[in-house]
């Protein structure tokens, strides 16, 4: 099972704490993901580090402010700044979240879920078309960790997600931790989510930590990846094959070496899992 042409390997979310370490040590890592909004400025020291690191590693851009599901008009000032950064960095791809973040020009600074119905689907697909046409390239959308559901929902989240991807031509960033968190909070089987997503639409995986309060789980990105999420990652690999994978950490950020070790764990799980699948297929061919 050969990786697809756009497979980047195993990467890490680039955070300010690690700028100098990355430049000094040039770690053995395949790529970095950057938060778009942190660099949508004309200059400054973070931008200097960003371009220096970009010369060494491939990058992807990940946003948190597109608000693709809001009923507010698309923020064209934001999109123009995003496009400038895209032209500067030439990332492998751009992603954001299948959510809304505010309404009436008020930003909640949170990633809020949508009702999963036909009206919302048509609205999102139209806005994705506008964004992709403006940027001149397809985007990836990421699944959320969610804590509420809507009475107006008419389909599962994964069915809604598939329909958005099919109709708009966008691709999917599948956050494995978010699937686990939402499954716990809403009491569904995470395997159903994995089985429900179109295999050819998934271009990236996120892996991150969460906080488990027993009766509910919060996606906090301030812990190492938990064992149940590693197990779900293995199931995702069995379903989707080689998918570019990265570790996210946004709080309680440890030394770079600790996160690089997590990246290596992801790499080892992927090679072990997909290697076993390939050996099984070879035995089936022989017999």
């Amino acid at each position: 099972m050969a990786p697809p042409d756009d497979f980047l390997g195993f990467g890490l979310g680039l955070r300010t704490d690690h700028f100098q370490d990355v430049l000094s040590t040039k770690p053995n890592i395949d790529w970095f993901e950057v938060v778009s909004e942190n660099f949508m400025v004309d200059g400054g020291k973070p931008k200097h580090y960003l371009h220096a690191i970009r010369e060494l590693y491939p990058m992807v851009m990940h946003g948190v402010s597109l608000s693709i599901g809001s009923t507010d008009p698309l923020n064209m000032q934001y999109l123009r700044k995003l496009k400038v950064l895209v032209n500067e960095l030439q990332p492998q791809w751009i992603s954001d979240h299948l959510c809304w973040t505010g309404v009436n020009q008020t930003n909640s600074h949170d990633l809020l879920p949508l009702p999963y119905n036909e009206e919302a689907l048509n609205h999102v697909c139209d806005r994705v078309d506008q964004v992709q046409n403006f940027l001149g390239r397809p985007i990836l959308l990421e699944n959320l960790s969610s804590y509420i559901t809507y009475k107006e929902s008419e389909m599962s989240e994964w069915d809604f997600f598939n329909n958005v991807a099919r109709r708009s031509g966008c691709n999917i960033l599948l956050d494995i931790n978010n699937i686990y968190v939402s499954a716990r909070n809403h009491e569904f089987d995470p395997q159903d989510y994995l089985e429900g997503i179109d295999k050819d639409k998934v271009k990236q995986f996120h892996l991150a930590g969460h906080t488990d309060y027993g009766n509910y789980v919060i996606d906090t990105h301030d812990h190492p990846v938990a064992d149940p999420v590693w197990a779900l990652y293995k199931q995702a690999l069995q379903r989707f094959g080689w998918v570019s994978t990265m570790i996210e950490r946004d709080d309680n950020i440890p030394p770079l070496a600790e996160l690089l070790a997590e990246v290596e764990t992801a790499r080892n799980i992927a090679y072990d899992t997909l290697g076993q699948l390939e050996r099984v297929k070879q035995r089936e061919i022989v017999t």
Side-chain angles (χ1 to χ4, degrees), residues 15-18 221-222 249-256 259:
R15 301 297 181 258
T16 306
D17 304 55
H18 301 140
H221 290 196
D222 61 356
R249 189 69 171 264
D250 294 308
D251 203 359
N252 293 330
I253 296 177
L256 180 61
L259 294 176

Side-chain angles (χ1 to χ4, degrees), residues 48-63:
H48 165 76
Y49 278 110
L50 177 69
H51 284 287
I53 295 170
R54 176 65 182 91
E55 291 180 4
L56 301 173
Y57 299 93
M59 283 184 178
V60 304
M61 289 169 47
H62 184 55

Side-chain angles (χ1 to χ4, degrees), residues 20 38 40 48-49 70 76 80 82 90 97 123 128 135 142 144 150 154 157 160 184 188 208 228 230 236 256-257 263:
Q20 190 58 60
N38 290 345
M40 289 164 56
H48 165 76
Y49 278 110
S70 176
M76 296 309 298
R80 284 190 288 270
L82 181 66
Q90 292 297 308
H97 300 79
H123 177 68
V128 173
L135 295 175
E142 177 186 348
L144 302 180
Y150 292 90
E154 300 166 354
E157 180 181 329
F160 185 89
R184 283 278 305 276
F188 64 79
W230 286 126
L256 180 61
V263 173

Side-chain angles (χ1 to χ4, degrees), residues 16 28 40 54 68 113 129 145 153 164 205 244 250-251 269 287:
T16 306
N28 182 24
M40 289 164 56
R54 176 65 182 91
I68 199 70
D129 284 342
S145 56
S153 289
V164 169
F205 288 150
S244 303
D250 294 308
D251 203 359
I269 290 173
T287 58

Side-chain angles (χ1 to χ4, degrees), residues 6 36 86 102:
D6 58 357
S36 304
V86 168

Side-chain angles (χ1 to χ4, degrees), residues 25-264:
T25 65
K26 298 180 177 59
N28 182 24
I29 195 166
D30 298 327
W31 55 282
F32 285 103
E33 180 186 85
V34 300
V35 177
S36 304
E37 288 80 2
N38 290 345
F39 303 100
M40 289 164 56
V41 294
D42 292 333
K45 196 169 183 179
K47 202 76 170 287
H48 165 76
Y49 278 110
L50 177 69
H51 284 287
I53 295 170
R54 176 65 182 91
E55 291 180 4
L56 301 173
Y57 299 93
M59 283 184 178
V60 304
M61 289 169 47
H62 184 55
V64 295
S65 304
L66 185 59
S67 197
I68 199 70
S70 176
T71 55
D72 279 355
L74 287 167
N75 185 336
M76 296 309 298
Q77 181 180 10
Y78 171 84
L79 285 173
R80 284 190 288 270
K81 289 182 178 179
L82 181 66
K83 191 170 185 176
V84 167
L85 185 60
V86 168
N87 290 336
E88 287 181 17
L89 286 188
Q90 292 297 308
Q92 302 298 312
W93 54 72
I94 313 159
S95 64
D96 208 292
H97 300 79
L98 185 58
C99 74
W100 59 287
T101 60
V103 69
N104 295 328
Q105 284 73 54
T106 299
N107 193 336
S108 71
H109 300 288
D110 205 350
L111 306 173
L112 305 169
L114 291 156
Y116 300 126
N117 57 36
E118 195 68 26
E119 181 180 9
L121 178 61
N122 292 334
H123 177 68
V124 169
C125 288
D126 178 65
R127 285 164 69 89
V128 173
D129 284 342
Q130 292 178 58
V131 170
Q132 293 182 145
N133 288 335
F134 180 81
L135 295 175
R137 57 165 73 195
I139 63 173
L140 278 64
L141 289 176
E142 177 186 348
N143 58 299
L144 302 180
S145 56
S146 63
Y147 311 97
I148 63 168
T149 56
Y150 292 90
K151 292 180 180 179
E152 293 81 5
S153 289
E154 300 166 354
M155 63 188 84
S156 68
E157 180 181 329
W158 46 93
D159 285 337
F160 185 89
F161 213 162
N162 274 340
N163 280 312
V164 169
R166 292 169 189 160
R167 287 168 51 170
S168 72
C170 76
N171 291 309
I172 292 174
L173 193 173
L174 203 59
D175 190 306
I176 306 302
N177 182 63
N178 286 354
I179 294 176
Y180 175 81
V181 169
S182 294
R184 283 278 305 276
N185 290 337
H186 302 308
E187 299 182 338
F188 64 79
D189 187 342
Q191 188 67 37
D192 290 342
Y193 202 119
L194 295 179
E195 293 296 329
I197 293 290
D198 286 351
K199 292 175 66 173
D200 63 338
K201 282 294 184 180
V202 177
K203 301 300 181 186
Q204 183 181 341
F205 288 150
H206 271 175
L207 293 167
H210 58 257
T211 303
D212 190 334
Y213 292 96
N215 293 330
Y216 60 94
V217 186
I218 303 292
D219 177 40
T220 51
H221 290 196
D222 61 356
H223 288 76
V225 178
D227 288 343
V229 177
W230 286 126
L232 191 60
Y233 174 53
K234 183 174 181 178
Q235 293 176 319
L237 291 164
Q238 292 168 340
R239 164 76 175 156
F240 299 103
W242 293 104
V243 174
S244 303
T245 298
M246 51 119 3
I247 299 291
E248 283 188 298
R249 189 69 171 264
D250 294 308
D251 203 359
N252 293 330
I253 296 177
L256 180 61
E258 290 187 27
L259 294 176
L260 294 175
E262 278 199 287
V263 173
E264 285 307 300

